[in-house]
Amino acid sequence: MEIFKPLDIQKDDHIANIENVEKVRCLIIGSGPAGYTAAIYASRANLKPVLYTGLQMGGQLTTTTEVDNFPGYPEGVTGPEMMDDLKKQAERFGTDVRFGIATAADFSGRPHRVTIDDNKVIEAEAVIIATGATAKYLGLESEIKYAGMGVSACATCDGFFYKGKDVAVVGGGDTAAEEATYLAGLCNKVYIIVRRDVLRASKTMQDKVMNTKNIEILWEHHTIDLFGDNGVEGATLVKKRGTPYEEIVRIKIDGFFLAIGHTPNSEIFKNYLETDEVGYIKTLPGTSKTNINGVFAAGDVQDPHYRQAVTAAGSGCIAAIDAERFLSDLK
Ligand SMILES: Cc1cc2nc3c(=O)[nH]c(=O)nc-3n(C[C@H](O)[C@H](O)[C@H](O)COP(=O)(O)OP(=O)(O)OC[C@H]3O[C@@H](n4cnc5c(N)ncnc54)[C@H](O)[C@@H]3O)c2cc1C
């Protein structure tokens, strides 16, 4: 695969010393839409997958009450209900779903070795990584207080609920510009809260933002708090923080959208897998194949662009089919 550069691989000695070893054909790491969909396809293809859920069984959607855009639910569905449906579907075909966290990996030879909870090694012929990406927050207590009540890290997911309302987007990069432009098509007014006096977004995205009438950029503003009785009703900002012109500004908003980036959960694989500068696992375009044969990546952990439940599920399907073809070629 020419798109991948050779990596300087350092072997993890800790894994070599663990005695509790189990051999499986297909290991799936992660229980979001990507992991469970991979599990549905892999178990139906008789790969007898073992899936480790990680700390967040069901993935990111278990933290939301309304999923309106996943096909097949005409009335919408809650995130936990949807993920329970996916789990049951994967188990119906024989997926062995286990609670456990992948804590280290050794992809230096075959079979691939993944440590679970630091005390057990799974030796797998094929590994599907579906560990997701975690949105970054500012770290305010009020972000936690209003989670799902006005605070969101996904305009595509939640923008619809703010139709005709006033919202703010935090961030100065391409994602913030894209989210703001998307929201401007739905909302009455969109503020972009930018810490500096410039946007990091590309020139094209900047032009788009500047030419959208209902977007207002609040330059050199830091968010310090959110307020409201039954959800977000406004944000408290500091303008020109740390200068003689510092002042407190309050804006009235119904929604507060974070667009300051995500952290892909790929840390433990980084010795072996090629990632981009942020940490998204690189895959061969149009496939789930990583730079290591027999290791596949699906869902948000390899997707800096879309990060939706349905795209994660679709790439989980691709990963299971890629794994099945890889394993049948081994025979
Ligand atoms: C509040 C909120 C609302 C959203 N609403 C929508 C919506 O309405 N519609 C939509 O399409 N999308 C929505 N999204 C986005 C959607 O949730 C994600 O795009 C999707 O869940 C990604 O699926 P995934 O399977 O790639 O990863 P995730 O759902 O993030 O799942 C990752 C899984 O990997 C596991 N994991 C991580 N590290 C390890 C490890 N070391 N070992 C083992 N397991 C591990 C975790 O426990 C988790 O089970 C929303 C996201 C959030 C946060």
Side-chain angles (χ1 to χ4, degrees):
M1 276 179 239
E2 281 142 13
I3 62 155
F4 298 119
K5 293 181 248 107
L7 289 182
D8 176 21
I9 289 172
Q10 290 141 22
K11 245 179 146 227
D12 184 340
D13 289 337
H14 175 64
I15 297 191
N17 298 329
I18 295 176
E19 284 172 9
N20 182 3
V21 178
E22 180 185 354
K23 289 183 190 306
V24 306
R25 272 198 96 194
C26 177
L27 169 67
I28 300 172
I29 309 171
S31 56
Y36 280 148
T37 306
I40 292 166
Y41 277 76
S43 46
R44 293 186 82 243
N46 210 20
L47 305 188
K48 302 192 172 11
V50 169
L51 180 151
Y52 279 94
T53 63
L55 214 52
Q56 192 175 46
M57 185 186 271
Q60 291 174 60
L61 281 183
T62 56
T63 63
T64 187
T65 45
E66 279 169 291
V67 182
D68 259 356
N69 55 7
F70 197 84
Y73 293 100
E75 305 304 327
V77 62
T78 70
E81 257 179 289
M82 185 182 129
M83 294 317 300
D84 203 41
D85 282 349
L86 285 178
K87 176 171 179 275
K88 283 183 192 141
Q89 197 173 350
E91 285 177 330
R92 183 177 141 220
F93 299 113
T95 303
D96 184 349
V97 177
R98 303 175 184 174
F99 184 78
I101 299 168
T103 44
D106 178 352
F107 297 151
S108 60
R110 289 227 295 272
H112 300 305
R113 293 161 65 84
V114 175
T115 310
I116 305 296
D117 296 332
D118 275 328
N119 60 25
K120 170 173 186 153
V121 169
I122 299 288
E123 287 190 348
E125 290 170 57
V127 177
I128 297 175
I129 300 169
T131 45
T134 310
K136 290 183 189 164
Y137 287 80
L138 296 173
L140 306 174
E141 271 179 29
S142 49
E143 284 173 319
I144 301 166
K145 179 176 170 191
Y146 297 116
M149 295 166 66
V151 172
S152 169
C154 177
T156 317
C157 312
D158 297 327
F160 183 79
F161 303 120
Y162 298 90
K163 225 172 170 177
K165 298 186 173 175
D166 294 350
V167 300
V169 175
V170 184
D174 273 330
T175 309
E178 272 163 19
E179 305 266 270
T181 314
Y182 176 80
L183 289 166
L186 293 165
C187 302
N188 175 54
K189 166 115 190 174
V190 180
Y191 296 101
I192 306 185
I193 303 169
V194 188
R195 279 185 305 180
R196 301 195 294 161
D197 58 355
V198 285
L199 287 173
R200 277 181 296 107
S202 64
K203 177 81 177 60
T204 321
M205 280 316 299
Q206 290 196 31
D207 289 346
K208 221 168 171 180
V209 163
M210 304 293 184
N211 292 321
T212 306
K213 279 200 181 115
N214 58 343
I215 295 182
E216 179 182 340
I217 304 182
L218 301 175
W219 302 106
E220 295 182 81
H221 282 68
H222 285 72
T223 312
I224 53 166
D225 204 8
L226 301 168
F227 55 84
D229 291 333
N230 297 309
V232 171
E233 290 173 11
T236 309
L237 317 172
V238 184
K239 186 178 175 183
K240 292 189 183 286
R241 192 163 76 174
T243 74
Y245 311 104
E246 179 171 309
E247 72 177 282
I248 298 286
V249 177
R250 289 180 144 226
I251 53 170
K252 272 182 65 58
I253 47 167
D254 304 290
F256 183 75
F257 288 83
L258 281 306
I260 53 174
H262 285 73
T263 307
N265 303 316
S266 60
E267 192 58 38
I268 59 166
F269 310 110
K270 270 188 182 162
N271 270 348
Y272 301 95
L273 298 186
E274 197 173 320
T275 64
D276 69 8
E277 62 285 359
V278 180
Y280 286 99
I281 297 174
K282 282 193 183 176
T283 52
L284 198 65
T287 78
S288 63
K289 295 174 187 171
T290 69
N291 57 307
I292 300 276
N293 268 339
V295 179
F296 306 90
D300 286 9
V301 72
Q302 53 82 58
D303 176 7
H305 302 293
Y306 303 106
R307 289 188 302 260
Q308 290 294 291
V310 70
T311 49
S315 73
C317 156
I318 291 173
I321 293 175
D322 284 343
E324 193 280 324
R325 289 181 184 160
F326 169 79
L327 290 172
S328 70
D329 284 348
L330 284 185
K331 281 179 194 162

